[in-house]
Amino acid sequence: PSSVQSAPAGATFKSSDGGDTWQRGNGGARSQWVLAIAVDPVTPSIVYEGTQDLGVLKSVDGGMTWAPANTGFAQRPRVNDLATDPGTSGIVFAATGDGIYRSLDAGQSWNAVGPSAQRIAISPSNPSFAYAASALGAYKSSDGGATWTKVLNADLRSVVIDPANAMTVFVGGSDSQVFKTTNGGVTWSSVSITGTPKPYVQALAVSPSSSNTVYAGLENSGVFRSTDGGTTWTLMSIGPTSPTRMVVDEADANAFYIAGTGAIAVTRDGGSTWDRISIAGNNLTIYALDAHAGTVFTGIVAQTEAFVDQIDTTSSTDGLVYATYLGGAGADGGRGIALDPSGNSVVVARVAPVVP
């Protein structure tokens, strides 16, 4: 007999060589929509994944196999972002549509501690301080995430804390605006990066080597850089076109990754030179990104691919006689198969955009 199958491809990719080559982390629970990834910097074999469909997933083997870690959530959450404590293994935060959750036992259990949020960041220099960005504003915690206070009213999408100074924070939002505080959220200044149209600031990063060097990723508008602490901005001629994530390698301050639609831009010398890398040559949008000691994780929305297989049911092994890929560049799905008296098969499938 023959069969036509729709195979959900895993949405997690891992590179062990700084992004030159990639493999899928498909073992165990397999999300098809990964929104956030966070490596435990103290125990990097532990990796957390925030998803649209399966809540929080956890890996203890460096991201190759995954298991659900959702005990304590009121319902299986959409996890917009994750953040791990830079100095204490097992402390992790999840920013969800239902609120901010904190785990003190490496994801075994979670407790609600704050309002819903889109992004969350923990200070690298003082983990007692954390900030979250949401459509309703910026929130601050001064007690390790146990309690949260609103410190800014704005429609926000991104947040980053200066690695050298927990009092200096940047948040990005609508109208291409970047807000900055240098006193822990007591007062804020703002600047609009572009003229019109004014897209969302989806990602932010501060250079570990210079607090005056700040990067901003604007929706469908590229990467901008400021060298004066966020006062003025210049468009950079590097990809991706619509940046979603910016990450400095937690073990190598010279390695900096910018991910989004189509590619990842990477510098390994602190921003002097840049390379463009892709995952398996595909024009994917990367929604999740983290890096530690040259190991890079990315998360995407996975495609469903269709395959046609011929199986020998009398075989004592796997019985596979023939298999072929059926589909186009987008999501595909098998619908049915029929055999005529001569054994010829007719396959019905949905493919996008065309059959190659």
Side-chain angles (χ1 to χ4, degrees):
S2 300
S3 66
V4 58
Q5 304 175 16
S6 298
T12 306
F13 287 84
K14 175 183 178 180
S15 172
S16 300
D17 53 15
D20 291 333
T21 60
W22 298 87
Q23 62 186 128
R24 288 187 189 267
N26 277 347
R30 185 187 299 184
S31 169
Q32 294 189 68
W33 194 324
V34 178
L35 299 175
I37 293 177
V39 179
D40 185 319
V42 181
T43 311
S45 60
I46 298 176
V47 188
Y48 303 93
E49 194 168 73
T51 76
Q52 165 85 8
D53 50 355
L54 299 178
V56 177
L57 300 179
K58 176 184 175 181
S59 173
V60 296
D61 60 2
M64 297 314 297
T65 59
W66 301 87
N70 293 312
T71 301
F73 291 103
Q75 57 187 352
R76 187 165 60 190
R78 171 193 165 105
V79 182
N80 300 316
D81 203 14
L82 293 165
T84 50
D85 188 296
T88 304
S89 181
I91 298 179
V92 57
F93 291 84
T96 80
D98 299 320
I100 299 170
Y101 285 77
R102 181 179 66 168
S103 175
L104 302 178
D105 54 13
Q108 295 183 56
S109 62
W110 298 86
N111 292 296
V113 293
S116 62
Q118 188 74 19
R119 293 289 184 265
I120 190 167
I122 304 173
S123 169
S125 61
N126 187 344
S128 294
F129 293 100
Y131 288 82
S134 79
L136 299 179
Y139 296 84
K140 174 186 177 181
S141 175
S142 304
D143 54 11
T147 60
W148 295 80
T149 303
K150 181 183 279 192
V151 291
L152 177 67
N153 287 306
D155 181 7
L156 303 176
R157 292 294 185 274
S158 52
V159 58
V160 68
I161 305 172
D162 185 338
N165 184 355
M167 294 294 102
T168 299
V169 182
F170 298 85
V171 292
S174 59
D175 296 326
S176 302
Q177 282 192 302
V178 174
F179 298 84
K180 177 183 180 180
T181 179
T182 57
N183 53 18
V186 177
T187 59
W188 298 81
S189 59
S190 68
V191 61
S192 185
I193 294 179
T194 66
T196 55
K198 295 182 180 294
Y200 277 103
V201 180
Q202 299 188 130
L204 289 165
V206 177
S207 169
S209 59
S210 172
S211 297
N212 284 324
T213 301
V214 188
Y215 297 86
L218 273 65
E219 184 179 17
N220 298 318
S221 299
V223 179
F224 288 75
R225 178 171 60 188
S226 172
T227 56
D228 54 12
T231 302
T232 60
W233 298 83
T234 302
L235 178 65
M236 301 180 68
S237 57
I238 61 173
T241 56
S242 189
T244 57
R245 294 281 183 173
M246 297 181 173
V247 168
V248 177
D249 190 315
E250 294 160 321
D252 181 3
N254 287 318
F256 175 40
Y257 301 84
I258 301 175
T261 301
I264 300 173
V266 57
T267 176
R268 299 178 177 91
D269 55 17
S272 297
T273 60
W274 294 82
D275 294 320
R276 181 184 175 93
I277 57 179
S278 61
I279 300 175
N282 294 324
N283 187 35
L284 302 171
T285 296
I286 298 166
Y287 293 96
L289 177 71
D290 205 6
H292 182 89
T295 297
V296 187
F297 293 92
T298 63
I300 64 167
V301 177
Q303 302 283 7
T304 299
E305 309 296 356
F307 297 84
V308 178
D309 306 327
Q310 183 179 3
I311 307 296
D312 180 1
T313 58
T314 65
S315 172
S316 60
T317 59
D318 60 16
L320 180 64
V321 177
Y322 172 81
T324 186
Y325 169 73
L326 176 69
D332 313 304
R335 291 294 183 265
I337 191 167
L339 297 177
D340 67 17
S342 300
N344 299 312
S345 61
V346 177
V347 176
V348 178
R350 173 185 55 79
V351 296
V354 293
V355 177

